[in-house]
Amino acid sequence: MNYHLLYNRILLGMILLCLQSCSNFLETKPDTKLAIPNTFEDCQALLDGYGTVNMGYPYVGELCADNFLINEENWSSLGDYEDRMLYIWDKETSPIITQWASPYQTVFIANQVLSILKELPAGNRREQLEGASYFYRAYALFSLAEIFAPVPKKDGSNADLPALPYRTSPNVEEKSVRVHLKDYFDLLLQDLEQAENLLPLTNGLPSRPTKTAAAALLSRIYLYMQEYDKALLYANKALAQNSKLMDYNMLRPYEESPFKQFNEEVIFQAISTGTYTYYYTVWKVAPDFLQSYADHDLRKNLLFMENEDNTYSFKGNYDGEFNQAPFSGLAVDELILTKAECLVRSNQISEALTSLNSLLEKRYRRDTFEPITTQDPSQLLQIILEERRKELVMRQRRWPDLKRLNLNSQTAKTLKRQMGNKEYQLLPNDPFYTFLIPQEIINNSSLSQTIR
């Protein structure tokens, strides 16, 4: 089998699918003469398509969060109109189509593989490929939910709001509908529970999902849903298999890319769509955020580089590349911070301190770190949330964190931008936190636009 040809043919099908928003796009039908994959090897080749299933996840959340700034000159010259308007939280602008289409390409591949596997013999290989497919589908659809759907409220008061299409079939002629928010997240959790049961503990490189990755993603989703007991349960499951942390003292802060791809903290490898907006001469660290790093905090010089104009730009990509496509996968440090947050929320102060300090001692210059010792739950929670912001910068975590934390007045935050003489504000729980579906999708499908 020519896998390069196979991949290109499947990619054509994905493009048709995504342009039509998983619905009928200009009544275009796929070419029935295309080769149909039908073996385990074909399925593995599809799931190993790194350029699709591990890349292209949404970046616009980080664009609209509060860690970075763009000055007026750079902002006015941004090539992408959508990025320019979303940066100032324009409520009429939707993201570029790739923010929607790329994750749905992954969903198409996962569904295609699951469809093929139904006709293949049962056994370990089939189970492993099924588990990977369920994982990829859930990973892609959750990345979309963080951007295009409301954050679920723990009391269920917004359960009936429309979420997104939850595609479970590769049939591009099957009409897509927006399911209710509760149903959408129930399906996510169902997919991942199946993935965790079916996947192996090890699966080669971190670009392939494992049982540990499924548990880590379940922890991420439950944290987003404010189900802190379950987020803790799955964080502990994942950390029982991998709790390795890099000692930042061993890294070289003056290298252009201090972190290596597939470093020991990475549980699942994924990166976001690249954008020129994140180019280092444009995308500058917010001064107040930069100042939150202590003098002996090694992250300041490992995550950021100083520019000639005394500003700072991001360089600490866990993907190991100095580019504009940041890491958005799953890693040990995120799990440790999730564990610490969930522990303090259940008033397990000593355990929360142990978890937090185990991370921070690897992030401070040797012999300078002083462990956090506060016994006040509110103060400790605030410290953990601040450390989460500092540790997971440009990892596509800040926007979903803002969404869930805004639901509580104690942790809600108003965002502000200054552009020339005009100030812009984004209030907690503003409808803007749920992005509009790209207009091309609305124009060429039966999907309804998000109501603001």
Side-chain angles (χ1 to χ4, degrees), residues 344 347-354 357 372-381 383:
V344 74
N347 207 35
Q348 299 179 68
I349 306 302
S350 177
E351 294 87 347
L353 286 168
T354 298
N357 286 323
I372 308 298
T373 59
T374 181
Q375 296 294 307
D376 180 82
S378 297
Q379 184 181 23
L380 180 55
L381 176 60
I383 292 171

Side-chain angles (χ1 to χ4, degrees), residues 359-373:
L359 172 70
L360 294 182
E361 69 178 350
K362 302 288 188 181
R363 300 318 193 225
Y364 275 70
R365 188 171 292 115
R366 194 171 286 116
D367 301 326
T368 68
F369 173 62
E370 297 180 4
I372 308 298
T373 59

Side-chain angles (χ1 to χ4, degrees), residues 222-432:
Y222 276 122
L223 183 74
Y224 186 65
M225 297 172 67
Q226 311 108 62
E227 297 281 354
Y228 299 114
D229 55 339
K230 293 178 181 177
L232 176 60
L233 170 67
Y234 284 103
N236 280 331
K237 274 191 173 185
L239 288 168
Q241 299 301 324
N242 184 1
S243 59
K244 297 176 183 177
L245 283 172
M246 288 181 283
D247 184 348
Y248 278 18
N249 284 279
M250 305 302 292
L251 302 179
R252 297 173 180 174
Y254 299 107
E255 286 190 355
E256 188 175 72
S257 299
F259 301 98
K260 305 304 179 186
Q261 189 183 55
F262 302 158
N263 67 66
E264 59 190 329
E265 291 185 15
V266 174
I267 292 172
F268 175 69
Q269 172 75 12
I271 62 175
S272 301
T273 307
T275 172
Y276 178 76
T277 303
Y278 289 164
Y279 194 63
Y280 77 97
T281 61
V282 175
W283 194 236
K284 306 295 181 66
V285 187
D288 60 335
F289 177 48
L290 186 69
Q291 291 168 11
S292 69
Y293 292 86
D295 291 340
H296 298 298
D297 190 334
L298 296 167
R299 292 173 296 190
K300 184 173 182 178
N301 289 319
L302 287 167
L303 297 176
F304 310 113
M305 64 179 186
E306 187 172 6
N307 301 312
E308 292 181 358
D309 60 358
N310 297 320
T311 62
Y312 283 76
S313 299
F314 178 74
K315 70 171 184 176
N317 190 352
Y318 259 36
D319 183 49
E321 298 289 339
F322 183 66
N323 60 22
Q324 293 79 55
F327 179 84
S328 63
L330 301 160
V332 171
D333 55 348
E334 179 186 344
L335 285 169
I336 290 175
L337 288 162
T338 295
K339 178 177 179 177
E341 179 180 342
C342 294
L343 285 167
V344 74
R345 288 183 183 277
S346 63
N347 207 35
Q348 299 179 68
I349 306 302
S350 177
E351 294 87 347
L353 286 168
T354 298
S355 183
L356 176 63
N357 286 323
S358 71
L359 172 70
L360 294 182
E361 69 178 350
K362 302 288 188 181
R363 300 318 193 225
Y364 275 70
R365 188 171 292 115
R366 194 171 286 116
D367 301 326
T368 68
F369 173 62
E370 297 180 4
I372 308 298
T373 59
T374 181
Q375 296 294 307
D376 180 82
S378 297
Q379 184 181 23
L380 180 55
L381 176 60
Q382 188 59 43
I383 292 171
I384 290 169
L385 294 177
E386 289 173 356
E387 291 301 331
R388 183 176 175 88
R389 182 185 179 191
K390 290 189 287 186
E391 178 73 17
L392 305 180
V393 59
M394 286 295 285
R395 302 260 288 272
Q396 318 311 311
R397 293 299 90 217
R398 183 59 177 165
W399 188 252
D401 279 352
L402 285 168
K403 289 176 73 172
R404 69 180 175 91
L405 295 173
N406 279 340
L407 297 175
N408 187 318
S409 60
Q410 300 291 320
T411 53
K413 184 175 182 180
T414 297
L415 307 189
K416 297 180 180 181
R417 301 247 200 258
Q418 189 72 35
M419 195 61 63
N421 296 324
K422 187 170 183 179
E423 182 181 81
Y424 300 88
Q425 287 191 359
L426 183 63
L427 299 176
N429 305 308
D430 189 284
F432 181 88

Side-chain angles (χ1 to χ4, degrees), residues 117-223:
L117 291 172
K118 289 178 182 178
E119 308 301 324
L120 296 179
N124 290 338
R125 191 166 191 192
R126 174 173 159 174
E127 288 184 356
Q128 181 174 326
L129 290 167
E130 285 177 338
S133 300
Y134 287 127
F135 176 89
Y136 280 121
R137 186 165 75 188
Y139 193 91
L141 288 169
F142 180 58
S143 76
L144 286 161
E146 291 177 310
I147 302 299
F148 294 108
V151 57
K153 295 182 180 180
K154 191 174 181 180
D155 62 6
S157 59
N158 65 348
D160 291 334
L161 289 179
L164 303 171
Y166 204 101
R167 294 285 302 185
T168 58
S169 168
N171 182 2
V172 297
E173 293 188 350
E174 184 177 298
K175 184 178 179 179
S176 290
V177 295
R178 299 181 67 163
V179 302
H180 290 156
L181 189 64
K182 181 182 185 304
D183 295 335
Y184 191 94
F185 275 81
D186 285 347
L187 289 166
L188 279 174
L189 298 174
Q190 179 180 306
D191 272 354
L192 280 174
E193 286 165 3
Q194 293 188 78
E196 189 191 21
N197 288 332
L198 294 169
L199 284 168
L201 282 173
T202 60
N203 202 4
L205 293 172
S207 54
R208 289 179 173 177
T210 60
K211 194 179 295 290
T212 307
L217 184 53
L218 279 163
S219 180
R220 176 185 281 185
I221 294 175
Y222 276 122
L223 183 74

